[in-house]
Amino acid sequence: QSVLTQPPSVSGTPGQKITISCSGDSSNIRSNSVHWYQLIAGEAPRLLIHDDDQRPSGVPDRFSGSKSGTSASLAISGLRSEDEADYYCVSWDDALSGLWVFGGGTKVTVL
Amino acid sequence: QVQLQESGPGEVKPSETLSLTCSVSDDSMRGTFWNWLRQSQGKGLEWLGSINHRGTTNYNPSLKSRVTMSIDTSKKEFSLSLSSVTAADTAVYYCVRGSVGVLIRLQHFQYWGQGIQVTVSS
């Protein structure tokens, strides 16, 4: 059971906009930044969004992040076939002595 | 672009210790945290622990009794030891460099290795 809650799967057609949600609580998302990663089998995981809504250089502006309260979202606009991957949200959790917590991952399928 | 490469055995026997090393291309290992994460088959990502250039560690509380991390800045390497392994420790293990900063809670996982599959099997 993951500390952060993501939908197991999201699908869309090419060109469509999809959104992946990430729900937490006051000890993680409300108090700390949310970061998003893309995992494709056989490749090194890729940082897509850091600090809630910051996009690293090289990441297309089709990817955007937002946060409100205890929830965060990753949006992918202009969906492309190469976006088919697993996406994870991550945040620091202040509980106990502190630790990184993750969502369970969302499988994005491009129909 | 910082590059990281995991190395170690691909198979470990139950109850033994899993040992992995990460070689990094960074000129300096200062000013950030070096991390180990893993992803089990069909499961999500899990953070095992972090270490800085001084050897200060933060471990996942659920694994703290079994995890040890070390760092050798002269060799540009850091390592993971996970003791008393079981089948539940079968996973792809990633070494990851954090972003620049001295506070772990303000970091993010910036650069990742390709990952190494480790299977626990007799």
Side-chain angles (χ1 to χ4, degrees), chain B residues 8-21:
Chain B
E11 192 164 304
V12 183
K13 289 183 168 49
S15 80
E16 294 189 346
T17 296
L18 179 163
S19 296
L20 298 174
T21 297

Side-chain angles (χ1 to χ4, degrees), chain B residues 65-106:
Chain B
S65 63
R66 298 197 293 131
V67 170
T68 303
M69 293 178 63
S70 61
I71 191 167
D72 187 334
T73 57
S74 64
K75 292 184 178 179
K76 295 196 290 184
E77 292 179 348
F78 65 106
S79 299
L80 168 74
S81 290
L82 181 65
S83 63
S84 305
V85 298
T86 69
D89 296 309
T90 294
V92 176
Y93 286 76
Y94 295 99
C95 60
V96 184
R97 200 205 84 165
S99 52
V100 173
V102 297
L103 291 179
I104 189 171
R105 62 185 292 271
L106 298 182

Side-chain angles (χ1 to χ4, degrees), chain B residues 24-90:
Chain B
V24 307
S25 67
D26 225 348
D27 287 337
S28 171
M29 299 188 77
R30 294 174 176 266
T32 187
F33 284 87
W34 303 90
N35 306 271
W36 288 98
L37 282 74
R38 68 183 181 182
Q39 182 178 26
S40 306
Q41 180 71 24
K43 295 180 68 176
L45 288 165
E46 181 179 32
W47 170 73
L48 280 71
S50 304
I51 189 168
N52 66 10
H53 74 280
R54 293 190 179 90
T56 302
T57 54
N58 296 81
Y59 296 141
N60 187 321
S62 69
L63 297 166
K64 191 171 183 177
S65 63
R66 298 197 293 131
V67 170
T68 303
M69 293 178 63
S70 61
I71 191 167
D72 187 334
T73 57
S74 64
K75 292 184 178 179
K76 295 196 290 184
E77 292 179 348
F78 65 106
S79 299
L80 168 74
S81 290
L82 181 65
S83 63
S84 305
V85 298
T86 69
D89 296 309
T90 294

Side-chain angles (χ1 to χ4, degrees), chain A residues 34 36 48-55 63-67:
Chain A
V34 177
W36 291 90
L48 290 179
I49 297 290
H50 66 88
D51 297 292
D52 303 335
D53 57 8
Q54 300 300 299
R55 195 172 46 250
F63 294 91
S64 62
S66 64
K67 187 178 85 171

Side-chain angles (χ1 to χ4, degrees), chain A residues 38 46-50 54-63 80 83, chain B residues 1 111:
Chain A
Q38 178 190 59
R46 178 190 186 192
L47 172 67
L48 290 179
I49 297 290
H50 66 88
Q54 300 300 299
R55 195 172 46 250
S57 61
V59 174
D61 59 7
R62 302 185 296 104
F63 294 91
R80 303 175 68 161
D83 298 332
Chain B
Q1 178 82 0
Y111 299 108

Side-chain angles (χ1 to χ4, degrees), chain A residues 32 35 37 44-45 88 92 100, chain B residues 39 104-105 107 109 112 114:
Chain A
N32 298 291
H35 318 294
Y37 298 88
Y88 288 85
W92 180 258
W100 290 104
Chain B
Q39 182 178 26
I104 189 171
R105 62 185 292 271
Q107 296 222 324
F109 303 123
W112 298 62
Q114 291 276 359

